[in-house]
Amino acid sequence: LAGSENGDVIHQLEHRISRLEGVLRLNKMITESGGKIFATSGKTADFDGTVENCKEAGGSIATPRNPGENDAILYFVKYFNTYAYLGIKQSLIPGKFQLPNGAQLSYTNWYSNEPSGRGEE
């Protein structure tokens, strides 16, 4: 009986999560790529505020690691007609960028002559 009850609870939770994800997708607040969920509040914030909001939600600021993840972030940029902060920072070498932990980027998709650090990368 306990196993059956656990199965019922799991099924109910899966159903609830599915419904909540549906509402968020409908409101253009989440998208997915490669099993990762990308989300936004749709509100304007500065970089530090964005990092903090992501942490509070149990995630981290988006860092595109492949074209699919880049497209997931671009989805929000286009929908909200704004920019997006990324989990990338300028290194000690001007014009070179890295992950916040100092690791080298394994994926980039910069425009020509970018990154310049002027917000049009």
Side-chain angles (χ1 to χ4, degrees):
L1 184 66
S4 175
E5 288 176 4
N6 285 339
D8 288 345
V9 169
I10 290 170
H11 178 70
Q12 289 172 2
L13 289 172
E14 288 172 338
H15 179 70
R16 184 174 172 88
I17 290 169
S18 177
R19 286 183 25 208
L20 291 171
E21 285 180 347
V23 168
L24 291 171
R25 277 192 183 87
L26 181 67
N27 290 313
K28 309 292 190 221
M29 304 307 268
I30 67 169
T31 190
E32 190 174 348
S33 177
K36 290 182 182 178
I37 294 176
F38 294 82
T40 183
S41 67
K43 297 177 183 173
T44 302
D46 62 16
F47 180 80
D48 292 332
T50 300
V51 170
E52 187 59 33
N53 288 339
C54 292
K55 283 181 184 177
E56 286 177 10
S60 60
I61 191 167
T63 303
R65 299 184 190 276
N66 58 55
E69 292 180 7
N70 192 76
D71 288 346
I73 297 164
L74 190 56
Y75 166 82
F76 294 127
V77 170
K78 288 179 178 179
Y79 181 77
F80 289 101
N81 192 30
T82 189
Y83 56 87
Y85 289 114
L86 302 175
I88 297 171
K89 67 177 189 172
Q90 191 162 351
S91 72
L92 296 175
I93 302 167
K96 297 289 182 181
F97 286 72
Q98 63 190 23
L99 297 176
N101 66 6
Q104 186 176 344
L105 298 176
S106 60
Y107 170 80
T108 60
N109 187 27
W110 307 115
Y111 284 127
S112 294
N113 302 315
E114 297 292 355
S116 65
R118 292 186 302 227
E120 298 176 359
E121 284 73 25

